[in-house]
Amino acid sequence: MLRKLLFDLDNTLLDFDKAERLALTKALSALSLEPTDHMLDRYNKINLAQWKLLEKGELDREAVKKRRFLLLFEEFGIDREAEEAARLYEGFLGEGHYFMDYAEELLQKLSGEYQIYIVTNGTAHVQKGRIASAGIRDYVEDVFISEEIGANKPSKEYFDRCFERIPDFDRNEAVVIGDSLTSDILGGINAGVRTIWFHKKESQNETEIIPDYEITDLRELPDLLKKL
């Protein structure tokens, strides 16, 4: 019987893309730079690439924070300090929140039926600020942030450390739910837990990572969970 839901945070429950764009706009403006759409789009792609390297163990968290701005400023010929940009950006990113469509209603519904946990690779102080702003703590048993856990998704080590902190944990009673194939779904596979890939309808799986189930709308989740 399914009892425990391990939810990713960014772009699963909270709209990270929207929060990122707003925080980056504020940070660049604070540096007297014009945040054009092209610059914002390039940052998004550069940032994603750095987090993929972290998932593979090729970069650490501090390197990701600095390198994304180093690469962005180099590409646009900008003379600014990457460390200062990173500091401003993270400060703005930790302010406020934006739920994914139907996510808040979903948490309200599921929290009365399942034990919910958050599994995220985000930076601790940023994620804590967003979670507090969103009131997510009211619906979950615990929050596992990789920076505090000491390992990153998709490593088995990360999930093993999470499982050690979950009372009466049984892999057969758990499922990982997230938007990232290389972080959430591969992580669940590495940990021996069932997986549900949440993605946009137009998204295609071009990897060899195969989730157990897929949804394209969070409103599909309650009925799916009842079948597991």
Side-chain angles (χ1 to χ4, degrees), residues 10 16 32 38 41 55 58-59 75 84 185 203 217 220:
D10 291 325
F16 179 79
S32 300
H38 178 49
D41 290 341
E55 291 171 8
E58 297 178 17
L59 285 181
E75 182 174 323
E84 177 65 5
I185 305 308
S203 297
D217 188 315
E220 300 173 48

Side-chain angles (χ1 to χ4, degrees), residues 4-228:
K4 296 174 173 60
L5 312 181
L6 309 179
F7 272 100
D8 172 52
L9 186 66
D10 291 325
N11 288 335
T12 299
L13 294 176
L14 296 185
D15 189 333
F16 179 79
D17 290 342
K18 184 175 182 179
E20 174 191 78
R21 204 169 185 87
L22 180 58
L24 184 59
T25 296
K26 291 180 178 179
L28 294 175
S29 297
L31 293 171
S32 300
L33 299 170
E34 181 182 357
T36 64
D37 285 341
H38 178 49
M39 190 182 297
L40 298 177
D41 290 341
R42 284 299 300 142
Y43 173 85
N44 177 264
K45 290 181 173 59
I46 291 169
N47 185 45
L48 284 173
Q50 307 320 300
W51 282 101
K52 295 297 182 186
L53 292 174
L54 179 137
E55 291 171 8
K56 295 176 181 178
E58 297 178 17
L59 285 181
D60 62 27
R61 187 175 308 277
E62 291 306 312
V64 168
K65 293 179 185 180
K66 180 178 178 180
R67 192 166 186 264
R68 55 193 177 184
F69 284 102
L70 282 173
L71 293 173
L72 180 73
F73 291 168
E74 179 180 345
E75 182 174 323
F76 284 85
I78 294 171
D79 183 18
R80 294 291 191 280
E81 291 293 330
E83 293 89 343
E84 177 65 5
R87 184 188 66 79
L88 289 167
Y89 169 72
E90 287 199 349
F92 290 126
L93 188 61
E95 299 174 356
H97 68 278
Y98 305 95
F99 274 109
M100 297 292 286
D101 290 343
Y102 315 112
E104 186 171 19
E105 298 88 339
L106 179 72
L107 287 172
Q108 291 172 347
K109 176 179 177 60
L110 296 181
S111 62
E113 304 175 36
Y114 304 92
Q115 296 170 19
I116 299 176
Y117 297 86
I118 302 297
V119 289
T120 175
N121 264 354
T123 301
H125 73 89
V126 171
Q127 300 300 61
K128 286 180 177 180
R130 299 170 68 229
I131 288 169
S133 174
I136 287 177
R137 239 5 201 113
D138 294 339
Y139 307 114
V140 306
E141 304 292 327
D142 208 344
V143 176
F144 303 125
I145 302 174
S146 61
E147 187 175 17
E148 296 180 329
I149 291 293
N152 300 305
K153 295 185 294 183
S155 71
K156 182 176 182 296
E157 181 182 10
Y158 170 84
F159 284 96
D160 284 344
R161 292 183 182 184
C162 294
F163 298 163
E164 289 172 359
R165 292 170 50 178
I166 299 176
D168 303 317
F169 184 78
D170 182 338
R171 283 175 169 78
N172 296 319
E173 297 178 348
V175 64
V176 175
I177 305 158
D179 70 296
S180 172
L181 287 164
T182 57
S183 177
D184 308 312
I185 305 308
L186 181 57
I189 293 170
N190 289 339
V193 175
R194 287 172 290 179
T195 59
I196 299 174
W197 181 36
F198 168 52
H199 62 93
K200 297 177 181 178
K201 289 183 179 179
E202 62 270 21
S203 297
Q204 299 294 318
N205 184 355
E206 299 177 349
T207 75
E208 296 180 354
I209 302 167
I210 307 300
D212 293 300
Y213 308 94
E214 299 181 27
I215 58 172
T216 58
D217 188 315
L218 288 178
R219 290 174 294 183
E220 300 173 48
L221 189 58
D223 286 342
L224 173 58
L225 294 175
K226 291 177 182 177
K227 299 175 183 178
L228 303 186

